[in-house]
Each structure stands twice: as structure tokens, then as C-alpha cells.
């Protein structure tokens, strides 16, 4: 199986790579969906709810006190390192990731595109002030000491499976203008900025093929790139556990463990 993937990359290099949550589970970051593409838990916060509801923001930031440190402390696994190496030798043109964990960058990737943004920064939705997210959490903990003693299980993208009374949780506002501070990520229900989408299409247009790793492609923001490569009559390969939305478009589908396959590919 690794030999088949090695031939695919060698024959179509440089190959664009699109990664999803499945590549980061080996780093201890939970994913959203099971092998059938179904939700494992309730859907994450919606953009309109976060922006329009103080209650939704209280719930989000309280739960993030437990979930985000898991992501912040996560280290790249062998899969991230293999892709970085392939990028450095020119076999991979560029990595497009649906993840917001920055693990590709930590593994040495210099050109990875964070399709859905980056979770390690927050931005004011009124004045555009940008800050390290770590500072937001330090202030949340300082303002809400009663919430720091609770326990919870980590959920995807810095969330946590925690249910409590969040009505007294104090959410810090923008220190410059008092606006809403939001993680610099594309929440469900929001749109990926058009320049970023165009950058991804340009990458695919200049590549010989697309390799999808660890994504079910159930979300349109990722699926459109699989559809685009197919419309260009260029090959699509998928390496992930379970089914995806683009299985019928793929010329190569590997239902296999990602770390094992990519580690063997590297050797």
C-alpha cells in the first residue's frame, strides 16, 4: 500500500496535499467524525451564534479553558514530519490544511495554507486587533477562578465536553475598543476568505494531482478542491479511515492508518 502511494506521488509530482482532522489524532487532538462521516458529538459553535449571543460566547470560552491547552501543547506526529520532508524535496507543492492546530508549521512546513485559520490567535471583530490566544485564556482564568477547578474531556479544535452553568463566566472584551474577541478561525456557518480560497485553487492548478489525507471531505470548503482536481482531469488520491464524500472521484483510495502508511512511505 505505501508503494502504491509512493508511485502516485512520483508519477504526478509536485502533488498538492489537503489534510483534515484525521492527520492530527495521533497528536492527541480529537476529530469530529467517525469512519462513516457522521458526527461523533454535537456540532461545534456556529459563527452566527458566537457573534450574536453572549451566552454562546460564555459557553465557548469556558469550555476552551480545558480544550485549548490540549491543542496548544500538541506536537507534530510522524505524518506531519513526512509531509514537511516531501515538501522540502519538491514532491509536494504545498499543503492545504483544514486543521487550525498549526502542526504542519511546527513540523517545518514553510508554505502550508491554514484554510480554516489558526487557533493560536484571537482577533477583535470590530477593530481587527490581533493577540496571542494564550493571553485571552490567561485573562479568562484570572477573571473566572471558580471555573478552573472543573474537569472535562477534550473535544476538537480546542473545545471540551463540559456542561455547567456558564451564566457567571466573564468573557474579556477587546482591550482597545471593547469589541468581541474571536479565535482567528472559520467557524461553522462562516465563509473562508476568498483570497485564501483562490490561493488554494492556484496551488492545485499548478500541481499534478491532489492527495487528501485524514479528511472525510463532508464539509464543502474541502470537498470543492477534490471536485476541482477531478474537473481538471487530474488524479485524486485519498488516504483516510472510512468513507469520504469524494470516494467516487478518486483514482486511488487507501483506507489505512495514516501514520503507518506515511512512515513506510518515508522509509
Amino acid at each position: 500500500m505505501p508503494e502504491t502511494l509512493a508511485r502516485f506521488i512520483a508519477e504526478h509530482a509536485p502533488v498538492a496535499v489537503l489534510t483534515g482532522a484525521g492527520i492530527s489524532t495521533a497528536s492527541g487532538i480529537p476529530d469530529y467524525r467517525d469512519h462513516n462521516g457522521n458526527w461523533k458529538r454535537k456540532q461545534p459553535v456556529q459563527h452566527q451564534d458566537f457573534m450574536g449571543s453572549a451566552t454562546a460566547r460564555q459557553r465557548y470560552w469556558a469550555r476552551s479553558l480545558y480544550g485549548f491547552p490540549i491543542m496548544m501543547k500538541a506536537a507534530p506526529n510522524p505524518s506531519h514530519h513526512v509531509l514537511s520532508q516531501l515538501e522540502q524535496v519538491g514532491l509536494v507543492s504545498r499543503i492545504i490544511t483544514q486543521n487550525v492546530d498549526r502542526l504542519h508549521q511546527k513540523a517545518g512546513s514553510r508554505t502550508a495554507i491554514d484554510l480554516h485559520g489558526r487557533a493560536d490567535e484571537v482577533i477583535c471583530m470590530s477593530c481587527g486587533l490581533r493577540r496571542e490566544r494564550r493571553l485571552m485564556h490567561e485573562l479568562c482564568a484570572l477573571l473566572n477562578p471558580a471555573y478552573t477547578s472543573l474537569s472535562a474531556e477534550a473535544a476538537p479544535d480546542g473545545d471540551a465536553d463540559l456542561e455547567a452553568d456558564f451564566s457567571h463566566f466573564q468573557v474579556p472584551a477587546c482591550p482597545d475598543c471593547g469589541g468581541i474577541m474571536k479565535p482567528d478561525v472559520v467557524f461553522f456557518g462562516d465563509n473562508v476568505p476568498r483570497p485564501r480560497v483562490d490561493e488554494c485553487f492556484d496551488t492545485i492548478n499548478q500541481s499534478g494531482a491532489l492527495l487528501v489525507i485524514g479528511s472525510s471531505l463532508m464539509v464543502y470548503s474541502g470537498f470543492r478542491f477534490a471536485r476541482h482536481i477531478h474537473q481538471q482531469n487530474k488524479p485524486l488520491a485519498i488516504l483516510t479511515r472510512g468513507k469520504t464524500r469524494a470516494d467516487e472521484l478518486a483514482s486511488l483510495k487507501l483506507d489505512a492508518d495514516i501514520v503507518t502508511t506515511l512512515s513506510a512511505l518515508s522509509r
Side-chain angles (χ1 to χ4, degrees):
M1 193 173 293
E3 294 83 358
T4 305
L5 183 57
R7 284 195 300 272
F8 179 90
I9 294 174
E11 290 173 2
H12 304 292
V15 173
V17 173
L18 173 67
T19 66
I23 199 171
S24 293
T25 54
S27 295
I29 299 176
D31 56 1
Y32 285 111
R33 299 177 186 272
D34 60 22
H35 291 176
N36 291 316
N38 299 316
W39 292 102
K40 291 182 177 180
R41 48 174 54 84
K42 291 182 180 179
Q43 292 189 28
V45 64
Q46 300 287 309
H47 177 79
Q48 295 300 327
D49 291 341
F50 184 91
M51 294 302 300
S53 168
T55 299
R57 294 193 293 275
Q58 287 176 310
R59 182 177 185 271
Y60 177 87
W61 287 112
R63 288 162 62 109
S64 291
L65 279 178
Y66 305 93
F68 181 69
I70 301 296
M71 180 182 294
M72 184 173 63
K73 296 174 183 176
N77 64 61
S79 298
H80 296 100
H81 289 292
V82 169
L83 290 181
S84 177
Q85 293 163 9
L86 293 176
E87 180 188 64
Q88 290 169 19
V89 299
L91 291 172
V92 165
S93 58
R94 202 165 185 186
I95 300 167
I96 303 165
T97 183
Q98 296 174 288
N99 302 333
V100 297
D101 51 36
R102 301 285 289 176
L103 291 183
H104 286 297
Q105 288 83 353
K106 289 181 180 179
S109 174
R110 297 181 182 140
T111 64
I113 300 173
D114 295 313
L115 180 64
H116 294 153
R118 50 188 297 177
D120 61 342
E121 293 185 348
V122 293
I123 186 170
C124 175
M125 300 304 288
S126 296
C127 72
L129 175 71
R130 188 180 297 272
R131 306 185 77 192
E132 290 183 56
R133 183 168 176 171
R134 171 183 57 83
L135 301 175
M136 182 75 172
H137 285 275
E138 289 175 355
L139 188 52
C140 281
L142 184 65
L143 292 174
N144 304 280
Y147 290 86
T148 60
S149 60
L150 302 177
S151 60
E153 292 290 328
D157 289 351
D159 193 11
D161 291 325
L162 173 68
E163 297 300 336
D165 178 7
F166 303 122
S167 61
H168 299 291
F169 192 89
Q170 298 184 58
V171 178
C174 173
D176 281 7
C177 74
I180 295 173
M181 299 300 291
K182 174 184 171 293
D184 189 20
V185 303
V186 179
F187 283 165
F188 281 80
D190 195 8
N191 295 316
V192 178
R194 190 67 221 182
R196 196 180 302 164
V197 175
D198 291 341
E199 190 176 15
C200 293
F201 278 127
D202 288 342
T203 294
I204 293 171
N205 290 341
Q206 296 167 20
S207 303
L210 176 65
L211 169 60
V212 176
I213 301 175
S215 176
S216 65
L217 299 173
M218 293 299 175
V219 178
Y220 178 72
S221 65
F223 173 72
R224 60 181 153 193
F225 301 125
R227 189 178 65 177
H228 181 71
I229 200 78
H230 181 72
Q231 290 172 342
Q232 287 193 319
N233 293 316
K234 295 180 182 179
L236 167 68
I238 301 175
L239 168 61
T240 195
R241 284 295 193 188
K243 70 178 184 180
T244 81
R245 187 177 175 183
D247 282 350
E248 294 182 356
L249 306 180
S251 53
L252 174 62
K253 171 66 185 297
L254 302 177
D255 189 339
D257 181 76
I258 294 171
V259 170
T260 301
T261 303
L262 291 184
S263 296
L265 175 69
S266 178
R267 290 194 296 269

